[in-house]
Amino acid sequence: MSQQSTIEWTDATWNPVRGCTKISPGCKHCYAETFAERFRGVKGHPYERGFDLREVPERLNDPLKWKQPRMIFVNSMSDLFHPGIPDDYIERVAQVMADAHWHTYQVLTKRSDRLRELLNGKLRFAASLPHIWWGVSVEDRKHGMPRVEHLRSAYAQVRFLSVEPLLEDLGDLDLTGIHWVIVGGESGTGARSVSPEWVRNIRDQSQAQGVKFFFKQWGGVRKSKTGRILDGRTYDEFPELVTLTA
């Protein structure tokens, strides 16, 4: 677990799974893969095996040890719902989130069909908890919009969209059942450009439909220079935080 994250919409990261495989255009310039592969073969490093998919059971109980409440991005370096991760291990991760209830968890996936299946089944116990937020990535209409429908049909207390990297205008959006929308342009080497009109379209529809809106970044090769100001202001909205008692 990293107790301080540079990701604008979270406080910390927790990776009980490491590694992943590409499945859609949003994966093209995966920051997690780029980072992990830098350390392939470095003996003793957490990413000695690069971006190979693997469970990391020794990190499972980290949130239980962290007593100060945090907003935690689950698997910033992987996808919990990757088909290579067994159901029972995903259940173990969800049980830790249920037990360490003083934190708020943000679980993000591109494997939305499996997310829907498990939230409506084996993970129902975790889906019913308001301190665990479930989200899907949306980079374009073709790949992203079906994920939104999967998420909407999944049992969950809090649902969110991570529209990053935003690769095209998403057009008209139905945000029924969605509580939070994050938008960001791609960053790093080879970053694909984002149009301000695409971002405004999502912001305006989020506001019209009463959905919290967070603008993360314009991105680019040097995202620190492009910043995150949209029409003269920052957008840092979050869903309501719920702290459960024991």
mmCIF file of all heavy atoms in Angstrom, residues 77-123:
data_model
loop_
_atom_site.group_PDB
_atom_site.id
_atom_site.type_symbol
_atom_site.label_atom_id
_atom_site.label_comp_id
_atom_site.label_asym_id
_atom_site.label_seq_id
_atom_site.Cartn_x
_atom_site.Cartn_y
_atom_site.Cartn_z
ATOM 1 N N MET A 77 -2.491 -0.746 -9.952
ATOM 2 C CA MET A 77 -1.510 -1.395 -10.822
ATOM 3 C C MET A 77 -2.042 -2.694 -11.418
ATOM 4 O O MET A 77 -1.265 -3.572 -11.817
ATOM 5 C CB MET A 77 -0.224 -1.671 -10.041
ATOM 6 C CG MET A 77 0.481 -0.430 -9.517
ATOM 7 S SD MET A 77 1.156 0.608 -10.839
ATOM 8 C CE MET A 77 2.473 -0.449 -11.437
ATOM 9 N N SER A 78 -3.355 -2.826 -11.492
ATOM 10 C CA SER A 78 -3.932 -4.043 -12.033
ATOM 11 C C SER A 78 -5.429 -3.835 -12.263
ATOM 12 O O SER A 78 -5.917 -2.705 -12.299
ATOM 13 C CB SER A 78 -3.693 -5.216 -11.076
ATOM 14 O OG SER A 78 -4.171 -6.427 -11.631
ATOM 15 N N ASP A 79 -6.154 -4.942 -12.446
ATOM 16 C CA ASP A 79 -7.607 -4.934 -12.578
ATOM 17 C C ASP A 79 -8.124 -6.107 -11.764
ATOM 18 O O ASP A 79 -7.867 -7.267 -12.099
ATOM 19 C CB ASP A 79 -8.015 -5.073 -14.050
ATOM 20 C CG ASP A 79 -9.504 -4.885 -14.284
ATOM 21 O OD1 ASP A 79 -10.302 -5.231 -13.377
ATOM 22 O OD2 ASP A 79 -9.889 -4.403 -15.362
ATOM 23 N N LEU A 80 -8.834 -5.821 -10.682
ATOM 24 C CA LEU A 80 -9.302 -6.863 -9.773
ATOM 25 C C LEU A 80 -10.143 -7.914 -10.481
ATOM 26 O O LEU A 80 -10.162 -9.080 -10.091
ATOM 27 C CB LEU A 80 -10.098 -6.234 -8.632
ATOM 28 C CG LEU A 80 -10.602 -7.181 -7.543
ATOM 29 C CD1 LEU A 80 -9.438 -7.856 -6.826
ATOM 30 C CD2 LEU A 80 -11.486 -6.431 -6.540
ATOM 31 N N PHE A 81 -10.843 -7.502 -11.558
ATOM 32 C CA PHE A 81 -11.768 -8.412 -12.231
ATOM 33 C C PHE A 81 -11.164 -9.057 -13.482
ATOM 34 O O PHE A 81 -11.890 -9.585 -14.322
ATOM 35 C CB PHE A 81 -13.063 -7.663 -12.547
ATOM 36 C CG PHE A 81 -13.814 -7.273 -11.307
ATOM 37 C CD1 PHE A 81 -13.624 -6.020 -10.729
ATOM 38 C CD2 PHE A 81 -14.664 -8.163 -10.692
ATOM 39 C CE1 PHE A 81 -14.287 -5.667 -9.562
ATOM 40 C CE2 PHE A 81 -15.335 -7.825 -9.522
ATOM 41 C CZ PHE A 81 -15.152 -6.577 -8.960
ATOM 42 N N HIS A 82 -9.852 -9.034 -13.576
ATOM 43 C CA HIS A 82 -9.172 -9.735 -14.674
ATOM 44 C C HIS A 82 -9.547 -11.220 -14.628
ATOM 45 O O HIS A 82 -9.632 -11.817 -13.541
ATOM 46 C CB HIS A 82 -7.660 -9.565 -14.532
ATOM 47 C CG HIS A 82 -6.883 -9.997 -15.719
ATOM 48 N ND1 HIS A 82 -6.695 -11.330 -16.037
ATOM 49 C CD2 HIS A 82 -6.234 -9.283 -16.682
ATOM 50 C CE1 HIS A 82 -5.977 -11.429 -17.142
ATOM 51 N NE2 HIS A 82 -5.673 -10.202 -17.550
ATOM 52 N N PRO A 83 -9.778 -11.855 -15.778
ATOM 53 C CA PRO A 83 -10.190 -13.266 -15.772
ATOM 54 C C PRO A 83 -9.169 -14.204 -15.157
ATOM 55 O O PRO A 83 -9.509 -15.335 -14.778
ATOM 56 C CB PRO A 83 -10.416 -13.579 -17.260
ATOM 57 C CG PRO A 83 -9.685 -12.520 -18.007
ATOM 58 C CD PRO A 83 -9.758 -11.304 -17.158
ATOM 59 N N GLY A 84 -7.921 -13.766 -15.032
ATOM 60 C CA GLY A 84 -6.897 -14.607 -14.428
ATOM 61 C C GLY A 84 -6.917 -14.623 -12.912
ATOM 62 O O GLY A 84 -6.155 -15.371 -12.290
ATOM 63 N N ILE A 85 -7.773 -13.806 -12.294
ATOM 64 C CA ILE A 85 -7.883 -13.758 -10.836
ATOM 65 C C ILE A 85 -9.095 -14.581 -10.405
ATOM 66 O O ILE A 85 -10.220 -14.277 -10.817
ATOM 67 C CB ILE A 85 -8.005 -12.313 -10.330
ATOM 68 C CG1 ILE A 85 -6.826 -11.463 -10.829
ATOM 69 C CG2 ILE A 85 -8.085 -12.276 -8.805
ATOM 70 C CD1 ILE A 85 -5.470 -11.970 -10.386
ATOM 71 N N PRO A 86 -8.924 -15.600 -9.578
ATOM 72 C CA PRO A 86 -10.044 -16.462 -9.179
ATOM 73 C C PRO A 86 -11.102 -15.716 -8.356
ATOM 74 O O PRO A 86 -10.777 -14.768 -7.634
ATOM 75 C CB PRO A 86 -9.378 -17.551 -8.337
ATOM 76 C CG PRO A 86 -7.929 -17.480 -8.649
ATOM 77 C CD PRO A 86 -7.641 -16.053 -9.002
ATOM 78 N N ASP A 87 -12.332 -16.191 -8.457
ATOM 79 C CA ASP A 87 -13.429 -15.598 -7.693
ATOM 80 C C ASP A 87 -13.119 -15.563 -6.199
ATOM 81 O O ASP A 87 -13.412 -14.569 -5.523
ATOM 82 C CB ASP A 87 -14.726 -16.377 -7.905
ATOM 83 C CG ASP A 87 -15.367 -16.125 -9.261
ATOM 84 O OD1 ASP A 87 -14.797 -15.358 -10.068
ATOM 85 O OD2 ASP A 87 -16.448 -16.699 -9.504
ATOM 86 N N ASP A 88 -12.565 -16.650 -5.680
ATOM 87 C CA ASP A 88 -12.376 -16.711 -4.231
ATOM 88 C C ASP A 88 -11.352 -15.691 -3.745
ATOM 89 O O ASP A 88 -11.464 -15.162 -2.630
ATOM 90 C CB ASP A 88 -12.002 -18.118 -3.778
ATOM 91 C CG ASP A 88 -10.697 -18.645 -4.376
ATOM 92 O OD1 ASP A 88 -10.138 -18.003 -5.286
ATOM 93 O OD2 ASP A 88 -10.245 -19.712 -3.917
ATOM 94 N N TYR A 89 -10.368 -15.359 -4.595
ATOM 95 C CA TYR A 89 -9.411 -14.332 -4.200
ATOM 96 C C TYR A 89 -10.064 -12.954 -4.225
ATOM 97 O O TYR A 89 -9.834 -12.126 -3.329
ATOM 98 C CB TYR A 89 -8.186 -14.355 -5.117
ATOM 99 C CG TYR A 89 -7.055 -13.479 -4.612
ATOM 100 C CD1 TYR A 89 -6.213 -13.911 -3.597
ATOM 101 C CD2 TYR A 89 -6.845 -12.205 -5.135
ATOM 102 C CE1 TYR A 89 -5.185 -13.113 -3.117
ATOM 103 C CE2 TYR A 89 -5.815 -11.401 -4.670
ATOM 104 C CZ TYR A 89 -4.992 -11.857 -3.662
ATOM 105 O OH TYR A 89 -3.983 -11.056 -3.169
ATOM 106 N N ILE A 90 -10.887 -12.694 -5.220
ATOM 107 C CA ILE A 90 -11.627 -11.428 -5.272
ATOM 108 C C ILE A 90 -12.520 -11.294 -4.043
ATOM 109 O O ILE A 90 -12.624 -10.209 -3.445
ATOM 110 C CB ILE A 90 -12.455 -11.334 -6.565
ATOM 111 C CG1 ILE A 90 -11.541 -11.351 -7.789
ATOM 112 C CG2 ILE A 90 -13.318 -10.074 -6.563
ATOM 113 C CD1 ILE A 90 -12.273 -11.402 -9.114
ATOM 114 N N GLU A 91 -13.135 -12.385 -3.627
ATOM 115 C CA GLU A 91 -13.966 -12.364 -2.423
ATOM 116 C C GLU A 91 -13.126 -12.032 -1.193
ATOM 117 O O GLU A 91 -13.589 -11.301 -0.301
ATOM 118 C CB GLU A 91 -14.648 -13.715 -2.237
ATOM 119 C CG GLU A 91 -15.755 -13.997 -3.236
ATOM 120 C CD GLU A 91 -16.398 -15.349 -2.992
ATOM 121 O OE1 GLU A 91 -17.091 -15.493 -1.952
ATOM 122 O OE2 GLU A 91 -16.196 -16.259 -3.808
ATOM 123 N N ARG A 92 -11.914 -12.536 -1.133
ATOM 124 C CA ARG A 92 -11.040 -12.230 0.000
ATOM 125 C C ARG A 92 -10.695 -10.743 0.028
ATOM 126 O O ARG A 92 -10.678 -10.122 1.105
ATOM 127 C CB ARG A 92 -9.759 -13.066 -0.078
ATOM 128 C CG ARG A 92 -9.966 -14.546 0.169
ATOM 129 C CD ARG A 92 -8.687 -15.330 -0.090
ATOM 130 N NE ARG A 92 -7.639 -15.009 0.883
ATOM 131 C CZ ARG A 92 -6.379 -15.419 0.776
ATOM 132 N NH1 ARG A 92 -6.002 -16.140 -0.284
ATOM 133 N NH2 ARG A 92 -5.487 -15.098 1.699
ATOM 134 N N VAL A 93 -10.427 -10.158 -1.139
ATOM 135 C CA VAL A 93 -10.156 -8.719 -1.217
ATOM 136 C C VAL A 93 -11.380 -7.937 -0.740
ATOM 137 O O VAL A 93 -11.267 -6.987 0.053
ATOM 138 C CB VAL A 93 -9.782 -8.317 -2.656
ATOM 139 C CG1 VAL A 93 -9.684 -6.796 -2.781
ATOM 140 C CG2 VAL A 93 -8.477 -8.969 -3.086
ATOM 141 N N ALA A 94 -12.556 -8.326 -1.206
ATOM 142 C CA ALA A 94 -13.786 -7.635 -0.825
ATOM 143 C C ALA A 94 -14.063 -7.765 0.668
ATOM 144 O O ALA A 94 -14.560 -6.825 1.302
ATOM 145 C CB ALA A 94 -14.957 -8.187 -1.635
ATOM 146 N N GLN A 95 -13.726 -8.910 1.244
ATOM 147 C CA GLN A 95 -13.959 -9.094 2.673
ATOM 148 C C GLN A 95 -13.082 -8.163 3.495
ATOM 149 O O GLN A 95 -13.515 -7.625 4.520
ATOM 150 C CB GLN A 95 -13.695 -10.546 3.072
ATOM 151 C CG GLN A 95 -14.084 -10.869 4.508
ATOM 152 C CD GLN A 95 -15.563 -10.646 4.764
ATOM 153 O OE1 GLN A 95 -16.406 -11.270 4.122
ATOM 154 N NE2 GLN A 95 -15.888 -9.751 5.693
ATOM 155 N N VAL A 96 -11.838 -7.949 3.060
ATOM 156 C CA VAL A 96 -10.966 -6.996 3.752
ATOM 157 C C VAL A 96 -11.568 -5.593 3.686
ATOM 158 O O VAL A 96 -11.567 -4.858 4.683
ATOM 159 C CB VAL A 96 -9.549 -7.013 3.151
ATOM 160 C CG1 VAL A 96 -8.703 -5.876 3.727
ATOM 161 C CG2 VAL A 96 -8.875 -8.347 3.411
ATOM 162 N N MET A 97 -12.093 -5.213 2.514
ATOM 163 C CA MET A 97 -12.717 -3.891 2.397
ATOM 164 C C MET A 97 -13.917 -3.774 3.323
ATOM 165 O O MET A 97 -14.163 -2.708 3.918
ATOM 166 C CB MET A 97 -13.135 -3.633 0.948
ATOM 167 C CG MET A 97 -11.969 -3.475 -0.005
ATOM 168 S SD MET A 97 -12.461 -2.869 -1.645
ATOM 169 C CE MET A 97 -13.168 -4.354 -2.359
ATOM 170 N N ALA A 98 -14.671 -4.845 3.466
ATOM 171 C CA ALA A 98 -15.822 -4.832 4.371
ATOM 172 C C ALA A 98 -15.367 -4.734 5.823
ATOM 173 O O ALA A 98 -15.967 -3.999 6.624
ATOM 174 C CB ALA A 98 -16.660 -6.088 4.154
ATOM 175 N N ASP A 99 -14.303 -5.449 6.170
ATOM 176 C CA ASP A 99 -13.833 -5.458 7.558
ATOM 177 C C ASP A 99 -13.144 -4.151 7.940
ATOM 178 O O ASP A 99 -13.346 -3.632 9.044
ATOM 179 C CB ASP A 99 -12.861 -6.624 7.767
ATOM 180 C CG ASP A 99 -13.542 -7.980 7.666
ATOM 181 O OD1 ASP A 99 -14.783 -8.039 7.768
ATOM 182 O OD2 ASP A 99 -12.827 -8.990 7.470
ATOM 183 N N ALA A 100 -12.321 -3.595 7.052
ATOM 184 C CA ALA A 100 -11.636 -2.316 7.323
ATOM 185 C C ALA A 100 -12.549 -1.189 6.859
ATOM 186 O O ALA A 100 -12.251 -0.446 5.921
ATOM 187 C CB ALA A 100 -10.292 -2.275 6.614
ATOM 188 N N HIS A 101 -13.663 -1.042 7.559
ATOM 189 C CA HIS A 101 -14.778 -0.204 7.102
ATOM 190 C C HIS A 101 -14.568 1.280 7.358
ATOM 191 O O HIS A 101 -15.400 2.104 6.957
ATOM 192 C CB HIS A 101 -16.072 -0.655 7.791
ATOM 193 C CG HIS A 101 -15.929 -0.755 9.292
ATOM 194 N ND1 HIS A 101 -15.864 0.348 10.112
ATOM 195 C CD2 HIS A 101 -15.802 -1.846 10.080
ATOM 196 C CE1 HIS A 101 -15.726 -0.046 11.361
ATOM 197 N NE2 HIS A 101 -15.680 -1.371 11.381
ATOM 198 N N TRP A 102 -13.478 1.657 8.011
ATOM 199 C CA TRP A 102 -13.221 3.079 8.270
ATOM 200 C C TRP A 102 -12.607 3.783 7.054
ATOM 201 O O TRP A 102 -12.504 4.988 7.029
ATOM 202 C CB TRP A 102 -12.312 3.236 9.489
ATOM 203 C CG TRP A 102 -11.071 2.404 9.469
ATOM 204 C CD1 TRP A 102 -9.848 2.771 8.994
ATOM 205 C CD2 TRP A 102 -10.924 1.048 9.933
ATOM 206 N NE1 TRP A 102 -8.942 1.744 9.128
ATOM 207 C CE2 TRP A 102 -9.569 0.673 9.710
ATOM 208 C CE3 TRP A 102 -11.799 0.121 10.519
ATOM 209 C CZ2 TRP A 102 -9.084 -0.593 10.053
ATOM 210 C CZ3 TRP A 102 -11.307 -1.128 10.850
ATOM 211 C CH2 TRP A 102 -9.976 -1.473 10.613
ATOM 212 N N HIS A 103 -12.204 3.019 6.063
ATOM 213 C CA HIS A 103 -11.710 3.591 4.811
ATOM 214 C C HIS A 103 -12.835 3.682 3.785
ATOM 215 O O HIS A 103 -13.879 3.037 3.921
ATOM 216 C CB HIS A 103 -10.595 2.725 4.220
ATOM 217 C CG HIS A 103 -9.419 2.503 5.113
ATOM 218 N ND1 HIS A 103 -8.666 3.530 5.628
ATOM 219 C CD2 HIS A 103 -8.861 1.349 5.589
ATOM 220 C CE1 HIS A 103 -7.692 3.042 6.378
ATOM 221 N NE2 HIS A 103 -7.793 1.722 6.370
ATOM 222 N N THR A 104 -12.584 4.463 2.721
ATOM 223 C CA THR A 104 -13.443 4.473 1.538
ATOM 224 C C THR A 104 -12.633 3.870 0.393
ATOM 225 O O THR A 104 -11.482 4.246 0.174
ATOM 226 C CB THR A 104 -13.868 5.902 1.169
ATOM 227 O OG1 THR A 104 -14.629 6.451 2.252
ATOM 228 C CG2 THR A 104 -14.720 5.910 -0.097
ATOM 229 N N TYR A 105 -13.228 2.918 -0.327
ATOM 230 C CA TYR A 105 -12.521 2.194 -1.380
ATOM 231 C C TYR A 105 -13.075 2.548 -2.756
ATOM 232 O O TYR A 105 -14.288 2.649 -2.942
ATOM 233 C CB TYR A 105 -12.634 0.685 -1.161
ATOM 234 C CG TYR A 105 -12.058 0.233 0.154
ATOM 235 C CD1 TYR A 105 -12.855 0.178 1.298
ATOM 236 C CD2 TYR A 105 -10.719 -0.119 0.276
ATOM 237 C CE1 TYR A 105 -12.331 -0.216 2.520
ATOM 238 C CE2 TYR A 105 -10.177 -0.514 1.491
ATOM 239 C CZ TYR A 105 -10.993 -0.560 2.611
ATOM 240 O OH TYR A 105 -10.470 -0.939 3.822
ATOM 241 N N GLN A 106 -12.172 2.712 -3.712
ATOM 242 C CA GLN A 106 -12.537 3.001 -5.105
ATOM 243 C C GLN A 106 -12.010 1.858 -5.963
ATOM 244 O O GLN A 106 -10.803 1.708 -6.134
ATOM 245 C CB GLN A 106 -11.920 4.338 -5.534
ATOM 246 C CG GLN A 106 -12.368 5.512 -4.671
ATOM 247 C CD GLN A 106 -11.309 6.604 -4.595
ATOM 248 O OE1 GLN A 106 -10.131 6.338 -4.366
ATOM 249 N NE2 GLN A 106 -11.727 7.849 -4.792
ATOM 250 N N VAL A 107 -12.913 1.046 -6.469
ATOM 251 C CA VAL A 107 -12.560 -0.136 -7.257
ATOM 252 C C VAL A 107 -12.915 0.148 -8.712
ATOM 253 O O VAL A 107 -14.075 0.397 -9.036
ATOM 254 C CB VAL A 107 -13.305 -1.390 -6.772
ATOM 255 C CG1 VAL A 107 -12.799 -2.625 -7.521
ATOM 256 C CG2 VAL A 107 -13.162 -1.569 -5.266
ATOM 257 N N LEU A 108 -11.918 0.091 -9.591
ATOM 258 C CA LEU A 108 -12.104 0.475 -10.990
ATOM 259 C C LEU A 108 -11.715 -0.678 -11.907
ATOM 260 O O LEU A 108 -10.680 -1.316 -11.699
ATOM 261 C CB LEU A 108 -11.244 1.699 -11.297
ATOM 262 C CG LEU A 108 -11.319 2.306 -12.696
ATOM 263 C CD1 LEU A 108 -12.718 2.816 -13.000
ATOM 264 C CD2 LEU A 108 -10.303 3.439 -12.829
ATOM 265 N N THR A 109 -12.534 -0.933 -12.936
ATOM 266 C CA THR A 109 -12.267 -2.048 -13.834
ATOM 267 C C THR A 109 -12.661 -1.727 -15.271
ATOM 268 O O THR A 109 -13.507 -0.863 -15.512
ATOM 269 C CB THR A 109 -13.025 -3.310 -13.373
ATOM 270 O OG1 THR A 109 -12.663 -4.421 -14.209
ATOM 271 C CG2 THR A 109 -14.537 -3.108 -13.469
ATOM 272 N N LYS A 110 -12.038 -2.431 -16.201
ATOM 273 C CA LYS A 110 -12.501 -2.467 -17.585
ATOM 274 C C LYS A 110 -13.253 -3.770 -17.870
ATOM 275 O O LYS A 110 -13.849 -3.922 -18.927
ATOM 276 C CB LYS A 110 -11.321 -2.329 -18.556
ATOM 277 C CG LYS A 110 -10.712 -0.927 -18.633
ATOM 278 C CD LYS A 110 -9.641 -0.878 -19.724
ATOM 279 C CE LYS A 110 -9.112 0.555 -19.922
ATOM 280 N NZ LYS A 110 -8.278 0.982 -18.779
ATOM 281 N N ARG A 111 -13.196 -4.709 -16.934
ATOM 282 C CA ARG A 111 -13.893 -5.994 -17.099
ATOM 283 C C ARG A 111 -15.273 -5.895 -16.446
ATOM 284 O O ARG A 111 -15.577 -6.551 -15.446
ATOM 285 C CB ARG A 111 -13.080 -7.117 -16.473
ATOM 286 C CG ARG A 111 -11.972 -7.665 -17.373
ATOM 287 C CD ARG A 111 -10.727 -6.838 -17.347
ATOM 288 N NE ARG A 111 -9.667 -7.447 -18.168
ATOM 289 C CZ ARG A 111 -8.460 -6.936 -18.284
ATOM 290 N NH1 ARG A 111 -8.122 -5.816 -17.650
ATOM 291 N NH2 ARG A 111 -7.562 -7.520 -19.054
ATOM 292 N N SER A 112 -16.112 -5.064 -17.025
ATOM 293 C CA SER A 112 -17.386 -4.711 -16.400
ATOM 294 C C SER A 112 -18.398 -5.844 -16.396
ATOM 295 O O SER A 112 -19.282 -5.890 -15.533
ATOM 296 C CB SER A 112 -17.985 -3.500 -17.114
ATOM 297 O OG SER A 112 -18.087 -3.746 -18.506
ATOM 298 N N ASP A 113 -18.304 -6.767 -17.356
ATOM 299 C CA ASP A 113 -19.237 -7.886 -17.356
ATOM 300 C C ASP A 113 -19.012 -8.779 -16.143
ATOM 301 O O ASP A 113 -19.977 -9.242 -15.514
ATOM 302 C CB ASP A 113 -19.121 -8.689 -18.652
ATOM 303 C CG ASP A 113 -17.681 -9.067 -19.014
ATOM 304 O OD1 ASP A 113 -16.738 -8.560 -18.355
ATOM 305 O OD2 ASP A 113 -17.517 -9.866 -19.946
ATOM 306 N N ARG A 114 -17.750 -9.005 -15.785
ATOM 307 C CA ARG A 114 -17.461 -9.810 -14.597
ATOM 308 C C ARG A 114 -17.809 -9.052 -13.324
ATOM 309 O O ARG A 114 -18.294 -9.642 -12.346
ATOM 310 C CB ARG A 114 -15.994 -10.222 -14.586
ATOM 311 C CG ARG A 114 -15.703 -11.293 -13.542
ATOM 312 C CD ARG A 114 -14.270 -11.761 -13.576
ATOM 313 N NE ARG A 114 -14.085 -12.886 -12.662
ATOM 314 C CZ ARG A 114 -12.919 -13.252 -12.153
ATOM 315 N NH1 ARG A 114 -11.812 -12.598 -12.495
ATOM 316 N NH2 ARG A 114 -12.828 -14.274 -11.322
ATOM 317 N N LEU A 115 -17.565 -7.737 -13.307
ATOM 318 C CA LEU A 115 -17.967 -6.919 -12.171
ATOM 319 C C LEU A 115 -19.458 -7.070 -11.914
ATOM 320 O O LEU A 115 -19.887 -7.304 -10.780
ATOM 321 C CB LEU A 115 -17.625 -5.456 -12.441
ATOM 322 C CG LEU A 115 -18.199 -4.450 -11.440
ATOM 323 C CD1 LEU A 115 -17.072 -3.783 -10.660
ATOM 324 C CD2 LEU A 115 -19.009 -3.378 -12.137
ATOM 325 N N ARG A 116 -20.267 -6.961 -12.950
ATOM 326 C CA ARG A 116 -21.717 -7.087 -12.805
ATOM 327 C C ARG A 116 -22.087 -8.467 -12.261
ATOM 328 O O ARG A 116 -22.906 -8.587 -11.338
ATOM 329 C CB ARG A 116 -22.402 -6.857 -14.148
ATOM 330 C CG ARG A 116 -23.909 -7.069 -14.121
ATOM 331 C CD ARG A 116 -24.525 -6.816 -15.484
ATOM 332 N NE ARG A 116 -23.984 -7.717 -16.501
ATOM 333 C CZ ARG A 116 -24.351 -7.689 -17.779
ATOM 334 N NH1 ARG A 116 -25.230 -6.790 -18.193
ATOM 335 N NH2 ARG A 116 -23.826 -8.536 -18.640
ATOM 336 N N GLU A 117 -21.488 -9.492 -12.832
ATOM 337 C CA GLU A 117 -21.806 -10.860 -12.400
ATOM 338 C C GLU A 117 -21.510 -11.065 -10.922
ATOM 339 O O GLU A 117 -22.331 -11.628 -10.172
ATOM 340 C CB GLU A 117 -20.996 -11.853 -13.234
ATOM 341 C CG GLU A 117 -21.157 -13.305 -12.800
ATOM 342 C CD GLU A 117 -20.201 -14.240 -13.519
ATOM 343 O OE1 GLU A 117 -19.496 -13.790 -14.460
ATOM 344 O OE2 GLU A 117 -20.142 -15.424 -13.132
ATOM 345 N N LEU A 118 -20.352 -10.606 -10.474
ATOM 346 C CA LEU A 118 -19.959 -10.840 -9.087
ATOM 347 C C LEU A 118 -20.692 -9.923 -8.107
ATOM 348 O O LEU A 118 -21.054 -10.362 -7.007
ATOM 349 C CB LEU A 118 -18.448 -10.694 -8.937
ATOM 350 C CG LEU A 118 -17.625 -11.808 -9.597
ATOM 351 C CD1 LEU A 118 -16.133 -11.544 -9.447
ATOM 352 C CD2 LEU A 118 -17.971 -13.169 -9.006
ATOM 353 N N LEU A 119 -20.916 -8.660 -8.479
ATOM 354 C CA LEU A 119 -21.658 -7.776 -7.573
ATOM 355 C C LEU A 119 -23.091 -8.252 -7.390
ATOM 356 O O LEU A 119 -23.687 -8.068 -6.319
ATOM 357 C CB LEU A 119 -21.649 -6.338 -8.088
ATOM 358 C CG LEU A 119 -20.321 -5.585 -8.038
ATOM 359 C CD1 LEU A 119 -20.519 -4.127 -8.421
ATOM 360 C CD2 LEU A 119 -19.669 -5.684 -6.669
ATOM 361 N N ASN A 120 -23.653 -8.869 -8.394
ATOM 362 C CA ASN A 120 -25.014 -9.399 -8.290
ATOM 363 C C ASN A 120 -25.044 -10.794 -7.677
ATOM 364 O O ASN A 120 -26.127 -11.365 -7.493
ATOM 365 C CB ASN A 120 -25.673 -9.434 -9.672
ATOM 366 C CG ASN A 120 -25.992 -8.046 -10.197
ATOM 367 O OD1 ASN A 120 -26.058 -7.090 -9.435
ATOM 368 N ND2 ASN A 120 -26.169 -7.927 -11.502
ATOM 369 N N GLY A 121 -23.846 -11.343 -7.383
ATOM 370 C CA GLY A 121 -23.773 -12.689 -6.843
ATOM 371 C C GLY A 121 -22.881 -12.776 -5.621
ATOM 372 O O GLY A 121 -23.244 -12.332 -4.533
ATOM 373 N N LYS A 122 -21.680 -13.313 -5.804
ATOM 374 C CA LYS A 122 -20.796 -13.613 -4.687
ATOM 375 C C LYS A 122 -20.347 -12.378 -3.901
ATOM 376 O O LYS A 122 -19.994 -12.488 -2.723
ATOM 377 C CB LYS A 122 -19.561 -14.361 -5.195
ATOM 378 C CG LYS A 122 -19.860 -15.735 -5.773
ATOM 379 C CD LYS A 122 -18.601 -16.396 -6.301
ATOM 380 C CE LYS A 122 -18.888 -17.774 -6.874
ATOM 381 N NZ LYS A 122 -17.653 -18.430 -7.415
ATOM 382 N N LEU A 123 -20.332 -11.208 -4.545
ATOM 383 C CA LEU A 123 -19.883 -9.986 -3.864
ATOM 384 C C LEU A 123 -21.040 -9.121 -3.386
ATOM 385 O O LEU A 123 -20.845 -7.952 -3.055
ATOM 386 C CB LEU A 123 -18.977 -9.162 -4.784
ATOM 387 C CG LEU A 123 -17.661 -9.796 -5.223
ATOM 388 C CD1 LEU A 123 -16.825 -8.792 -6.002
ATOM 389 C CD2 LEU A 123 -16.868 -10.344 -4.046
#
